[in-house]
Amino acid sequence: ERVIESTVILSGYIEAEAMIPVVPFVNGTIKEYNVIAGDFVNEGDIICSLDKAPYELQVAQAKAASIVYDATFDRISTLFEAGAATKQQLDEIKAQRDAGKAQLELASLQLGYADVKAPVSGTILMAPTAVGDIGNTQSPVAIIADLNNLIMNISVPEKYYQLIVDNRENIEISITRPASSISDEVVADAEILSFSPYIDPVSKSFTM
């Protein structure tokens, strides 16, 4: 039995399988900015802190209102038990008390969001802002990638399509990054994750 081996050399760019934008859940002026591109962060690390003063004020206001609602509810409850207040009055103040508690919870949550935390562990690829900038819910303050999970998207000529389909499990793949003035050559094993089920009629190739 004769084994026929064929080697194909293709090129592409190595990239992270997932890049996670870190976007604040609230708006505010950035008071602290703790990362630069290339830093490694753990899940939960604080990327930046927004101005907390407006949110602290909201918490104080909501807490004061909640105290008033609680006291009023206790008073109306006592009057209701004594027959001096109606069920409707009791239900109305209970609804106000519950709404006040919900408002306090929301204000506390927003205050917590003023510390913008890393949602995952990884390397900071982009740190596009600085102290004094406005952090908002539309723009990322950083982009994180897990550089332990890397992929390549490679454009493969159509003539290799059936070969890959028939031999996917037996194909051996290695990726080589050539040596440069600042790094040695790197060779790593790889495997096929997926390939497109069609051939692009313009480029006469498919993506693997």
Side-chain angles (χ1 to χ4, degrees):
E1 180 178 317
R2 186 173 60 158
V3 177
I4 299 176
E5 294 185 353
S6 177
T7 299
V8 178
I9 299 176
L10 302 166
S11 63
Y13 292 98
I14 299 174
E15 59 189 52
E17 186 171 10
M19 291 184 285
I20 310 299
V22 182
V23 180
F25 292 140
V26 293
N27 302 324
T29 302
I30 295 175
K31 292 293 188 179
E32 296 180 11
Y33 194 67
N34 304 320
V35 298
I36 60 174
D39 284 351
F40 181 85
V41 293
N42 291 302
E43 180 180 349
D45 285 352
I46 296 176
I47 301 296
C48 68
S49 294
L50 308 181
D51 184 5
K52 296 180 181 179
Y55 300 105
E56 290 171 340
L57 180 60
Q58 288 180 4
V59 169
Q61 291 174 332
K63 188 175 293 184
S66 184
I67 291 172
V68 172
Y69 290 138
D70 282 340
T72 304
F73 176 77
D74 291 342
R75 181 172 60 84
I76 297 298
S77 294
T78 300
L79 292 174
F80 176 74
E81 291 172 359
T86 66
K87 181 66 164 57
Q88 181 179 353
Q89 289 174 315
L90 181 64
D91 290 342
E92 287 176 352
I93 189 58
K94 182 179 183 299
Q96 291 176 346
R97 184 197 64 173
D98 293 346
K101 290 183 181 298
Q103 189 61 41
L104 177 57
E105 290 176 1
L106 176 60
S108 300
L109 188 64
Q110 290 178 327
L111 176 59
Y113 285 151
D115 285 328
V116 183
K117 299 178 180 180
V120 296
S121 298
T123 300
I124 301 291
L125 291 189
M126 296 179 63
T129 189
V131 171
D133 286 347
I134 301 298
N136 63 77
T137 57
Q138 304 299 316
S139 303
V141 294
I143 295 178
I144 299 176
D146 180 3
L147 298 184
N148 291 317
N149 292 297
L150 302 175
I151 62 171
M152 290 182 70
N153 288 311
I154 302 173
S155 180
V156 184
E158 66 174 334
K159 64 181 179 180
Y160 298 116
Y161 188 84
Q162 197 59 48
L163 179 67
I164 291 174
V165 170
D166 294 340
N167 298 279
R168 176 174 179 173
E169 300 301 323
N170 300 316
I171 294 175
E172 295 181 1
I173 302 174
S174 66
I175 297 175
T176 301
R177 186 185 70 187
S180 68
S181 60
I182 59 173
S183 64
D184 297 329
E185 180 181 85
V186 176
V187 179
D189 292 331
E191 61 182 5
I192 297 175
L193 294 179
S194 65
F195 52 89
S196 58
Y198 64 90
I199 295 170
D200 187 310
V202 177
S203 66
K204 303 295 184 182
S205 64
F206 63 96
T207 300
M208 180 170 70

